[in-house]
Amino acid sequence: MEAIEAYGYYFESPGSPLRRRDLSIASVEREEVVVRVAGCGLCHTDISFYNGQVEPRHKPPIILGHEVSGTVVAAGESFRDVVRKDVVIPAVLPCGECELCHGGRSNICRRQKMPGNDFDGGFASHITVPGRHLCLVPEDIGDLELSELSVIADAVTTPYQSLMRSGLASGELGIVIGVGGIGTYMVQLAKGTGASVIAIDIDEKKLESARGMGADYTINASGIGEREVKQAVRELVKEHGLPKSGWKVFETSGTAPGQATAFSLLSFAGVLAVVGFTMEKIHIRLSNIMAFDADVFGNWGCKPEYYPDVLAEVLGGRVNIRDNVEQHPLDSINEILPLALEHKLEKRVVFVP
């Protein structure tokens, strides 16, 4: 293959500006492909790496970014058929061979590879990834842009997997805590099942957006505790004839107060899905799980086999991504990261090389 001239923004140490470097991709392994990046979403995980709260598995310097869409421009012998195809790259790339993969839990494959964590990610013009598990994008994507589809790789697929595991169904009650970059998709996906949906956040703008995305009811938790939030939920249940038990609670805020509130909302035969991430700790009474005969599970990424279904939901207009993202040139990344740290971004940022 001819060498591909590329560039990327490297993370070297917490809090330091990312450094742009020119790259030359001269070869590709048999099982790999090179994707010209159309867009790469900025995720909370990237922020956690950037501020030093979490360390990437690959020692810096490393190019961050794991929400990637683009076009295959080169491939090894095993994947020549996907050259010139548009794709979404799963944020978690499992080996496909271990007992977890064979057992239906490929999203937590212990040999998984994650862009921007195990190897150079998508804050670049090009990315080299394993060709296995790529989600092919059809030629006709309507009025959407390929760059916008990048958020499918985590922000949409991760809550989708939680939804599938929870078993939320028509007539039930889904409660989404934190309606930011992931929570807004959790609301849409939950509403798509025919369930009633309550959205909880401390930001009235986000709650307004959640109502526009399908939330039936909203609760502003700013300045009140988990007991008051629980009482507000009970009042909505009583007033609107919602299910009194079996609540499916999705914690997507990735904050200690959000997690504490989520646990407090466990009900009889209830389900709690922990989707957001934080290094903070909370104090809970685990016996509540026993007393309510409830289920609690965590969610890491999404197994690749769900990606085509999620893509179909987006392309079919059942999940709105356009109104929840804002695109910025990749070269503005060092201007955007401080805004993310200060929680000044209202939508999920997609960087476009």
Side-chain angles (χ1 to χ4, degrees):
M1 59 174 277
E2 293 185 7
I4 297 172
E5 300 306 314
Y7 73 94
Y9 278 86
Y10 280 85
F11 164 70
E12 297 181 340
S13 61
S16 298
L18 303 191
R19 183 170 298 180
R20 175 173 167 154
R21 295 183 185 174
D22 291 330
L23 310 168
S24 181
I25 304 172
S27 63
V28 57
E29 297 295 329
R30 179 185 181 90
E31 302 293 323
E32 293 180 333
V33 301
V34 179
V35 175
R36 183 177 65 242
V37 176
C40 184
L42 175 62
C43 176
H44 180 72
T45 303
D46 299 310
I47 300 303
S48 297
F49 290 151
Y50 176 71
N51 67 13
Q53 195 175 34
V54 181
E55 294 183 6
R57 285 192 289 262
H58 184 287
K59 185 177 179 180
I62 183 174
I63 300 174
L64 303 177
H66 58 271
E67 288 187 341
V68 186
S69 61
T71 303
V72 178
V73 293
E77 294 179 16
S78 297
F79 295 99
R80 293 280 168 80
D81 60 330
V82 298
V83 174
R84 292 187 292 277
K85 299 288 187 181
D86 293 336
V87 298
V88 173
I89 302 171
V92 174
L93 294 159
C95 73
E97 300 171 356
C98 67
E99 61 182 24
L100 285 168
C101 288
H102 288 308
R105 301 296 294 276
S106 62
N107 61 300
I108 51 170
C109 165
R110 303 326 299 146
R111 290 188 288 177
Q112 68 179 237
K113 299 296 182 182
M114 179 179 177
N117 190 3
D118 294 288
F119 60 93
D120 285 337
F123 294 157
S125 64
H126 296 74
I127 179 174
T128 302
V129 298
R132 183 198 298 263
H133 303 309
L134 294 175
C135 178
L136 298 180
V137 175
E139 292 183 9
D140 183 7
I141 60 173
D143 65 348
L144 290 170
E145 298 177 21
L146 180 59
S147 55
E148 294 173 313
L149 300 184
S150 61
V151 297
I152 288 175
D154 189 2
V156 190
T157 47
T158 295
Y160 183 84
Q161 178 167 277
S162 286
L163 182 77
M164 293 296 100
R165 191 169 173 184
S166 75
L168 182 67
S170 178
E172 295 186 333
L173 176 59
I175 303 173
V176 182
I177 299 175
V179 286
I182 287 182
T184 188
Y185 298 113
M186 191 78 255
V187 167
Q188 295 181 67
L189 292 165
K191 187 60 182 176
T193 67
S196 297
V197 178
I198 297 175
I200 302 173
D201 205 292
I202 60 173
D203 187 327
E204 189 57 42
K205 286 186 177 180
K206 290 181 179 179
L207 292 172
E208 181 180 351
S209 175
R211 287 190 288 270
M213 295 296 162
D216 299 287
Y217 316 100
T218 59
I219 297 173
N220 191 326
S222 178
I224 63 175
E226 60 197 62
R227 290 185 179 181
E228 289 82 3
V229 172
K230 187 173 184 178
Q231 182 58 37
V233 170
R234 286 174 171 168
E235 290 174 359
L236 287 174
V237 166
K238 182 178 180 180
E239 180 180 355
H240 299 282
L242 304 176
K244 297 178 181 179
S245 59
W247 301 345
K248 308 291 174 66
V249 182
F250 303 93
E251 205 302 298
T252 59
S253 75
T255 66
Q259 291 182 348
T261 297
F263 192 81
S264 75
L265 291 173
L266 267 185
S267 62
F268 290 98
V271 174
L272 168 58
V274 181
V275 188
F277 175 81
T278 177
M279 290 293 288
E280 297 178 84
K281 298 179 181 180
I282 63 171
H283 181 77
I284 59 174
R285 185 173 59 197
L286 281 176
S287 293
N288 284 17
I289 303 172
M290 178 276 292
F292 293 136
D293 196 20
D295 295 319
V296 177
F297 67 85
N299 191 99
W300 172 260
C302 178
K303 49 189 180 181
E305 47 263 52
Y306 280 150
Y307 274 63
D309 294 335
V310 177
L311 179 59
E313 291 291 302
V314 171
L315 297 182
R318 294 177 292 277
V319 173
N320 179 340
I321 61 174
R322 168 153 291 172
D323 292 337
N324 298 301
V325 302
E326 57 182 60
Q327 302 193 68
H328 293 268
L330 178 58
D331 289 337
S332 69
I333 192 167
N334 285 316
E335 301 168 19
I336 298 297
L337 285 173
L339 299 178
L341 288 171
E342 297 169 10
H343 306 286
K344 292 183 178 180
L345 300 174
E346 295 185 1
K347 298 182 179 181
R348 200 172 193 84
V349 166
V350 171
F351 289 116
V352 179

